[in-house]
Amino acid sequence: LYAAERATEILPGDPEAWKEKSMILASLGQMEHALRGCEKAIACSPGDSEAWVIKGGVMNALGNLKEATKCYDRAINLNPKQARFWISKGLFLDKTGRHADAEECYKIALELDPNAEISIEFSVDF
């Protein structure tokens, strides 16, 4: 965490530093702080689809499912050909009981990348 905090101090305009810090904070259960990091990453680079996926996972962990859905959708709108984003959204939807919607996401992911694995590794659960 220290290195990630230091990176954001040295490079406050670097979305990669903020995303890394957010992931670390989220893995430590510090969701409010992780959310602030996601918002900083997005402020630095609003078109960073990965930052939106991370924010979706944080919003899910905070129990804001509506906002989590919006974040996943935003990431996919920014980068619709990224199979792992479809998989991340599908895993989120599966966990929220929306199995038919999740299956559609998996189908799209496999159309984009027939070798894609529907794996928990793509889950942005914290």
Side-chain angles (χ1 to χ4, degrees), residues 44-121:
C44 294
S45 182
D48 188 326
S49 51
E50 187 175 15
W52 286 100
V53 169
I54 296 167
K55 184 178 179 184
V58 171
M59 296 308 292
N60 180 28
L62 289 169
N64 190 336
L65 303 183
K66 185 176 180 179
E67 190 62 30
T69 301
K70 288 180 185 178
C71 292
Y72 285 114
D73 288 344
R74 176 78 172 143
I76 288 169
N77 286 336
L78 289 167
N79 195 348
K81 295 193 184 285
Q82 181 56 259
R84 69 185 175 95
F85 293 167
W86 287 100
I87 294 168
S88 292
K89 182 179 179 183
L91 291 167
F92 161 72
L93 292 170
D94 252 342
K95 289 183 180 183
T96 59
R98 296 172 56 192
H99 305 297
D101 292 335
E103 190 173 317
E104 186 61 30
C105 289
Y106 300 146
K107 181 181 170 186
I108 293 168
L110 290 171
E111 287 171 2
L112 292 169
D113 181 0
N115 297 317
E117 292 184 33
I118 310 303
S119 168
I120 196 70
E121 88 178 61

Side-chain angles (χ1 to χ4, degrees), residues 10-66:
I10 295 169
L11 303 166
D14 181 3
E16 296 300 319
W18 288 107
K19 288 186 298 187
E20 184 66 27
K21 183 176 178 180
S22 294
M23 293 289 289
I24 292 168
L25 290 167
S27 71
L28 295 172
Q30 298 180 28
M31 296 306 162
E32 294 295 335
H33 293 293
L35 178 59
R36 284 194 287 279
C38 290
E39 289 169 349
K40 294 246 185 180
I42 290 167
C44 294
S45 182
D48 188 326
S49 51
E50 187 175 15
W52 286 100
V53 169
I54 296 167
K55 184 178 179 184
V58 171
M59 296 308 292
N60 180 28
L62 289 169
N64 190 336
L65 303 183
K66 185 176 180 179

